[in-house]
Amino acid sequence: MGSLYTDITENNPAFPSNPLDPEEFRRQGHMVIDFLADYYREVGNYPVRSQVEPGYLRKCIPESAPNQPEPIETILKDVQSHIVPGITHWQSPNYYAYFPSSGSTAGFLGEMLSTGFNIVGFNWMSSPAATELESIVMDWLGNMLKLPSSFLFSGGGGGVLQGTTCEAILCTLTAARDKMLDKIGRDQIGKLVVYGSDQTHCALQKAAQIAGIHPGNFRAVQTFISDSFGLSAAELTKTVEADISAGLVPLFLCATVGTTSSTAVDFLPGLCKVAAEHGIWVHVDAAYAGSACICPEFRHFIDGVEDADSFSFNAHKWFFTTLDCCCLWVKNPNSLVRALSTNPEYLKNKATESKQVVDYKDWQIALSRRFRSLKLWLVLRSYGVANLRNFLRSHVKMAKVFEGLISLDRRFEVVVPRYFATVCFRFVHADETDGGDEALGINNETNKKLLEMINASGKIYMTHAVIGGIYVIRFAVGATLTEEHHVRDAWKVVQHHTTLLLSELRN
């Protein structure tokens, strides 16, 4: 009949029988903190973009899990040897790709506390502190942004911490969908239309697909260089009116403050006016740039938000709070609750029935939720509003330095205005004055090659975008450890590889 498989472990006093033994937790926890402190100290010396090839890790790790326990010392050695080389180092001072994922001591320790408590805060009863702290922190942050009181709990609205902007957009789109279908009938879902611009994050299209919007009813309204690629009210009006003439129903507009490609800013006051005329829900996605709007000199970028229905930004991008932490405010929380709530018998309790508490399970997609507000609370308390503003200003100042360095080298140009801490630039190899599309194509290919050369070096890491047919290199300052000398060194790396590329092209 063959041999019997048993799970009898070897008697080893070095391994406690309880997986959550407090003293072993203390010992191993100290080791992990030391490991990470050393990592942060040395992270600037690693190649920023991982240099490994696909499938590298399977060659390093056994094919099956160990039957007997292994010591943390051995595991951490493997982390250093096998995992660290496969990491793209988002916390490196030489990281300028995508948008930042800025960390901080407070953010990390808040995450550690949250993970340590390991609560599942789906409703008030499951952990009252988690719900109440979230509500308080969201009002704090809303006041820092000078959001209208209608977005705050004190004014009849409210805030919730989602995982990402993708979730925030899906939740608000679902609320808008159900609100509209209650008016026109559930069988009319095929007529609903969702609007963004050709610069809007792809999260909007994904949310529309999940929410059941007909694929043919998703509108990416064209933007133009004359508007710095921000969505204009005039273009939105033309598109909406054409849809109404075709018998469709305008539903939802996602306006962006700080687009992913170029940090363009959509024109909120005009867009909200158009939306109000046609009963369109307006969500303002400020995932990246929202952080900067706690600074008075940047607050004007969200002027007009008072006429929107919802607003969100990612504290895990440029607000020193570890992933994931998307801050979403809505004027009418009941719209979310009606669209997203369930009330099974096993979750019923007196607190919920009293209508005196918030049950955040009804404000999100999932039932379970993490204690995210704890890390945000630690960030706000540990640094204070004044310091947070100055951290953000320092990144903007460094971006200005980089922009200034570009202006001193006639081989390069800044392609679109810099509003925040991201500079979009390119190397102009071919003269486009008379060359037209052919010269543009040459420049696009040249910049693509240049960027790959730079990233392959491991010295710095940047990413690209294509805006109005122009291939641009994006330099996004925002890593917590970045200082001005890193930015100046980054420009030297760009110049060095440009010289190498030119030599290669001549040959």
Side-chain angles (χ1 to χ4, degrees):
M1 294 179 64
S3 61
L4 295 176
Y5 180 84
T6 63
D7 285 330
I8 300 174
T9 58
E10 298 172 0
N11 184 20
N12 189 339
F15 298 98
S17 58
N18 193 309
L20 198 52
D21 176 79
E23 292 310 312
E24 189 61 19
F25 177 84
R26 188 191 312 279
R27 185 185 75 84
Q28 295 191 27
H30 278 297
M31 293 180 67
V32 172
I33 290 289
D34 285 343
F35 180 92
L36 286 172
D38 290 343
Y39 170 75
Y40 290 138
R41 185 185 61 204
E42 302 295 333
V43 67
N45 298 323
Y46 292 118
V48 189
R49 191 183 73 176
S50 176
Q51 306 291 299
V52 302
E53 297 295 329
Y56 88 100
L57 197 54
R58 285 196 177 274
K59 301 172 185 176
C60 305
I61 291 180
E63 292 184 0
S64 59
N67 195 47
Q68 298 300 321
E70 298 181 63
I72 187 65
E73 293 85 352
T74 300
I75 297 169
L76 286 178
K77 285 180 182 178
D78 284 348
V79 171
Q80 184 65 54
S81 299
H82 306 319
I83 303 302
V84 171
I87 292 175
T88 289
H89 300 284
W90 289 65
Q91 304 309 311
S92 170
N94 304 309
Y95 179 94
Y96 307 103
Y98 305 108
F99 281 134
S101 179
S102 59
S104 66
T105 300
F108 175 85
L109 296 179
E111 185 73 66
M112 186 162 60
L113 280 171
S114 173
T115 303
F117 290 137
N118 199 27
I119 67 155
V120 186
F122 44 78
N123 60 16
W124 181 89
M125 185 65 71
S126 66
S127 271
T131 296
E132 297 197 10
L133 184 63
E134 187 162 336
S135 299
I136 292 166
V137 166
M138 290 302 288
D139 269 5
W140 278 12
L141 199 48
N143 283 321
M144 289 165 60
L145 290 162
K146 297 191 181 304
L147 291 181
S149 61
S150 54
F151 278 112
L152 309 181
F153 284 101
S154 55
V160 57
L161 292 175
Q162 304 280 351
T164 65
T165 296
C166 300
E167 295 168 48
I169 292 175
L170 178 56
C171 288
T172 52
L173 174 55
T174 302
R177 179 200 66 190
D178 283 11
K179 182 180 178 182
M180 182 63 74
L181 292 180
D182 285 345
K183 293 180 181 179
I184 65 174
R186 291 274 165 176
D187 59 341
Q188 300 298 303
I189 189 171
K191 294 183 177 181
L192 302 182
V193 186
V194 171
Y195 302 88
S197 82
D198 55 8
Q199 303 297 310
T200 303
H201 194 278
C202 62
L204 177 62
Q205 186 171 7
K206 179 179 280 190
Q209 292 172 214
I210 296 171
I213 304 302
H214 190 284
N217 290 352
F218 176 81
R219 304 284 181 262
V221 182
Q222 187 175 4
T223 59
F224 301 94
I225 195 168
S226 57
D227 296 318
S228 299
F229 297 103
L231 177 59
S232 72
E235 291 301 314
L236 177 64
T237 298
K238 287 193 293 186
T239 307
V240 168
E241 289 179 349
D243 285 332
I244 292 172
S245 297
L248 300 175
V249 180
L251 172 67
F252 186 91
L253 166 67
C254 181
T256 308
V257 176
T259 60
T260 301
S261 294
S262 66
T263 70
V265 176
D266 292 344
F267 306 102
L268 296 187
L271 295 174
C272 288
K273 182 179 179 181
V274 174
E277 292 171 356
H278 299 286
I280 300 170
W281 180 301
V282 179
H283 176 74
V284 178
D285 169 18
Y288 162 67
S291 300
C293 294
I294 69 167
C295 301
E297 64 268 32
F298 295 111
R299 173 56 178 76
H300 68 278
F301 284 110
I302 58 171
D303 284 352
V305 70
E306 61 273 11
D307 295 318
D309 297 278
S310 51
F311 173 86
S312 65
F313 89 92
N314 288 347
H316 61 247
K317 272 191 169 65
W318 195 20
F319 205 69
F320 313 99
T321 306
T322 53
L323 190 74
D324 53 5
C325 192
C326 174
C327 307
L328 168 66
W329 290 266
V330 291
K331 280 184 176 177
N332 184 3
N334 285 333
S335 294
L336 284 181
V337 173
R338 282 195 297 268
L340 301 171
S341 67
T342 55
N343 190 30
E345 182 63 34
Y346 50 81
L347 293 181
K348 291 180 179 179
N349 62 85
K350 290 183 178 180
T352 296
E353 292 167 3
S354 74
K355 306 294 184 183
Q356 300 299 307
V357 300
V358 173
D359 285 344
Y360 274 125
K361 71 178 179 64
D362 299 329
W363 294 45
Q364 65 175 29
I365 299 165
L367 171 65
S368 300
R369 62 195 328 270
R370 303 173 62 240
F371 197 171
R372 294 188 184 98
S373 59
L374 200 53
K375 58 187 173 185
L376 192 53
W377 188 52
L378 258 72
V379 168
L380 294 174
R381 292 190 62 188
S382 297
Y383 305 121
V385 178
N387 275 323
L388 289 168
R389 286 172 175 162
N390 287 332
F391 292 154
L392 295 166
R393 287 170 178 144
S394 72
H395 291 151
V396 174
K397 180 182 177 182
M398 285 186 271
K400 287 181 180 179
V401 168
F402 191 82
E403 187 178 35
L405 293 170
I406 293 171
S407 69
L408 297 175
D409 190 328
R410 294 183 180 179
R411 299 175 299 176
F412 294 87
E413 67 175 6
V414 175
V415 178
V416 292
R418 180 204 49 76
Y419 296 130
F420 307 104
T422 299
V423 183
C424 295
F425 70 103
R426 67 171 180 158
F427 168 50
V428 183
H429 180 53
D431 185 356
E432 295 175 7
T433 306
D434 300 316
D437 291 342
E438 183 179 355
L440 175 61
I442 291 171
N443 284 329
N444 285 350
E445 284 301 311
T446 302
N447 279 274
K448 187 176 182 179
K449 290 178 182 177
L450 175 61
L451 180 60
E452 182 51 36
M453 285 177 67
I454 292 169
N455 288 339
S457 76
K459 299 292 185 182
I460 63 175
Y461 184 32
M462 301 180 291
T463 47
H464 79 283
V466 177
I467 312 166
I470 302 170
Y471 186 103
V472 301
I473 300 173
R474 299 169 68 263
F475 186 84
V477 182
T480 310
L481 295 173
T482 301
E483 298 176 359
E484 186 174 318
H485 69 90
H486 294 110
V487 170
R488 292 185 179 276
D489 288 345
W491 177 242
K492 292 176 183 176
V493 172
V494 172
Q495 289 183 306
H496 171 69
H497 283 88
T498 301
T499 301
L500 292 178
L501 178 59
L502 281 172
S503 176
E504 180 183 307
L505 292 173
R506 292 190 189 104
N507 295 331

